[in-house]
Amino acid sequence: MTDPRPKQGKSVFIRTYGCQMNVYDSERMAGLLKPLGYGVADAPEGADLVILNTCHIREKAAEKVYSDLGRLKRLKADKENSGGEMKIAVAGCVAQAEGPEITARAPQVDLVVGPQAYHRLPELIARAARERGDVLDTDFAVEEKFDRLAVREADGPTAFLTVQEGCDKFCTFCVVPYTRGAEVSRNVDAIVAEARSLAAQGVKEVTLLGQNVNAWASNPPAGVSGDQWGLGDLCRHLAKIDGIERIRFTTSHPRDMDDGLIAALGEEEKLMPYLHLPVQAGSDKILKAMNRGHTAEHYVKLIARIRAARPDIALSGDFIVGFPGETSEDFEATLALVETVGYASAYSFKYSRRPGTPGAAMAKQVAEDEKEARLARLQSLLESQRQAFNQRQIGAELPVLFEKEGRHEGQLIGRSPYLQSVHVEAPQSRLGSVVKVKIKGVTPNALAGALMENEEAAA
């Protein structure tokens, strides 16, 4: 087996679980550790530092972490037996929710770092080297962590850019308000500085991230007068940066979808016509039990307003089936909402209890076999809508941002404005460029296209 460690200096291996926010956080942790001499390893074997960046959203999330920690315990012992040292850190949402239990169950863990405190990693590593015992840092930090992080290095023509963290909505099924803290918005000048840095490195598309990204709000940038800005204002401002050709944002909440953002979707060409707007259920009774703060009618009318502003928009959503108290009639209401709205893509899950959330203690928990049956019906409907949306793209001429080489020689893979994967025969020189493509066909998970004649000539 080849040695995954860098040739010089120390090495860190980061395993990322869950959401795009965690992917972003892992990138920042790697950047934060680079000045300390840590190169990124491809595997945990032989690494000087292993970080598990955890997610508490998916079912059995904590169990997966403890399973990985068991394997790491053996690797740590092997390294110590050979005269070396391996530090193990647990970061992210499981760290925030279960910090004391982690140190009790897994004494091989050296550091437990909540998602609001990973900018303190260098300090914590130094402290761990100087003293024995557990090192916990999971309190929600008062200071703005965004401004304490290292400048990122771009990796390709697309990049995530966190603008907001935390959640104040307290949906009864969700642990995010407890593990990520209250909603915090990053200031405009810091966001613009990072976006300019990414653009200078060749990034063409930025995706603005937040647990409730459209709750973002901040004062205008330095030198600009006016009222507080919302996400629509921020998108318009970022669109002025040379080099940035595409802007996306995720994940949005229906309660924070304001007029300014809807208008920006309709007016700003660099904002891609794709919106992920979770609804979770189509029954008002279940939405109320979930503490979503909106009704099915409100959501459907909101979608109508968005489509009036941006008729070509592709919609994505999240759905939970089998929430406590959900009857067959409630589930049928969800299917009816899906039929009414029509989705280009969606994520759907069976409800699973999250310790400490109100939903976990609710009566009338739905039987597992009933959840599975309902999920199968919902996913079948959603998949038929996805395939129908993709089929409608045949013959369309779409701008595609090529991101990487395909598996076949001479093939490039990019993304359409609607976030679909597009496979095209094109010269490697087009990597990182937005190119007009005619869609010729559909595969189960992608579109197949060809360069337009004028694009072929330019090649």
Side-chain angles (χ1 to χ4, degrees), residues 132-444:
R132 293 177 178 272
D134 300 328
V135 181
L136 293 175
D137 194 348
T138 59
D139 292 335
F140 295 127
V142 175
E143 72 271 20
E144 173 116 14
K145 78 167 189 178
F146 298 119
D147 296 334
R148 300 278 298 275
L149 301 174
V151 176
R152 296 169 62 204
E153 292 185 9
D155 182 21
T158 66
F160 295 124
L161 203 172
T162 291
V163 301
Q164 182 271 342
E165 280 208 4
C167 181
D168 297 336
K169 303 301 186 288
F170 289 92
C171 297
T172 55
F173 56 79
C174 186
V175 298
V176 167
Y178 310 99
T179 58
R180 286 281 181 176
E183 291 176 353
V184 177
S185 295
R186 192 178 184 187
N187 73 70
V188 179
D189 293 327
I191 295 169
V192 170
E194 184 169 348
R196 289 188 189 281
S197 172
L198 292 170
Q201 298 176 67
V203 168
K204 298 290 196 304
E205 176 182 295
V206 292
T207 299
L208 311 182
L209 292 182
Q211 268 79 38
N212 284 321
V213 68
N214 57 338
W216 181 88
S218 181
N219 292 325
V224 177
S225 60
D227 298 329
Q228 190 175 59
W229 276 16
L231 187 64
D233 300 298
L234 177 63
C235 290
R236 292 178 192 270
H237 194 61
L238 293 176
K240 299 175 183 177
I241 296 176
D242 290 339
I244 299 298
E245 299 183 31
R246 292 180 162 194
I247 299 171
R248 303 183 188 273
F249 56 87
T250 195
T251 294
S252 300
H253 195 290
R255 288 162 61 182
D256 295 316
M257 202 75 199
D258 61 24
D259 292 341
L261 183 53
I262 294 173
L265 277 169
E267 296 165 3
E268 178 48 63
E269 293 183 358
K270 289 186 179 182
L271 259 177
M272 292 295 94
Y274 176 90
L275 176 63
H276 184 66
L277 192 63
V279 62
Q280 306 299 359
S283 162
D284 287 347
K285 183 190 82 176
I286 298 302
L287 289 171
K288 183 176 181 180
M290 289 178 169
N291 194 36
R292 289 291 292 169
H294 62 82
T295 64
E297 181 183 18
H298 171 266
Y299 181 87
V300 170
K301 288 183 175 179
L302 180 60
I303 295 300
R305 289 172 53 208
I306 294 167
R307 281 186 165 142
R310 189 73 180 259
D312 66 332
I313 200 158
L315 291 169
S316 174
D318 285 352
F319 296 89
I320 295 173
V321 301
F323 190 77
E326 183 186 75
T327 64
S328 296
E329 291 76 16
D330 295 322
F331 175 66
E332 292 296 333
T334 296
L335 295 180
L337 183 142
V338 172
E339 292 277 15
T340 298
V341 173
Y343 290 89
S345 63
Y347 302 91
S348 53
F349 311 95
K350 295 183 297 181
Y351 171 73
S352 60
R353 295 185 180 187
R354 292 290 176 267
T357 62
M362 287 182 177
K364 300 182 179 179
Q365 298 283 332
V366 179
E368 249 344 271
D369 58 349
E370 183 61 31
K371 290 181 192 177
E372 290 177 4
R374 292 177 187 178
L375 182 63
R377 286 184 62 196
L378 175 62
Q379 289 184 337
S380 176
L381 175 58
L382 291 168
E383 176 62 13
S384 68
Q385 291 188 345
R386 185 183 75 88
Q387 291 291 352
F389 181 83
N390 287 349
Q391 287 288 340
R392 290 197 294 272
Q393 307 311 310
I394 295 177
E397 300 173 3
L398 301 178
V400 173
L401 173 57
F402 288 123
E403 300 177 13
K404 60 184 179 180
E405 295 183 54
R407 288 183 296 176
H408 306 296
E409 186 176 354
Q411 182 187 66
L412 297 183
I413 298 176
R415 293 283 179 180
S416 78
Y418 309 115
L419 207 59
Q420 300 147 304
S421 180
V422 184
H423 297 190
V424 180
E425 288 188 10
Q428 191 176 20
S429 61
R430 293 307 184 90
L431 275 175
S433 299
V434 178
V435 178
K436 188 66 73 69
V437 168
K438 185 161 186 174
I439 305 304
K440 300 288 189 178
V442 177
T443 66

Side-chain angles (χ1 to χ4, degrees), residues 46-47 72-86:
L72 290 175
K73 182 178 181 179
R74 294 190 292 272
L75 294 179
K76 183 172 184 172
D78 290 343
K79 186 160 188 181
E80 289 176 350
N81 290 336
S82 63
E85 183 181 43
M86 173 188 287

Side-chain angles (χ1 to χ4, degrees), residues 17 55 88 93 104 240 324 354 436:
Y17 308 72
C55 176
I88 301 174
C93 293
K240 299 175 183 177
R354 292 290 176 267
K436 188 66 73 69

Side-chain angles (χ1 to χ4, degrees), residues 31-82:
L32 194 65
L33 293 168
K34 186 175 181 180
L36 301 183
Y38 283 88
V40 177
D42 296 325
E45 289 82 5
D48 300 288
L49 172 64
V50 175
I51 302 173
L52 303 183
N53 190 14
T54 63
C55 176
H56 214 294
I57 300 299
R58 300 291 182 257
E59 190 174 5
K60 299 182 180 178
E63 286 82 350
K64 293 177 183 177
V65 173
Y66 288 117
S67 177
D68 283 344
L69 286 173
R71 289 188 286 271
L72 290 175
K73 182 178 181 179
R74 294 190 292 272
L75 294 179
K76 183 172 184 172
D78 290 343
K79 186 160 188 181
E80 289 176 350
N81 290 336
S82 63

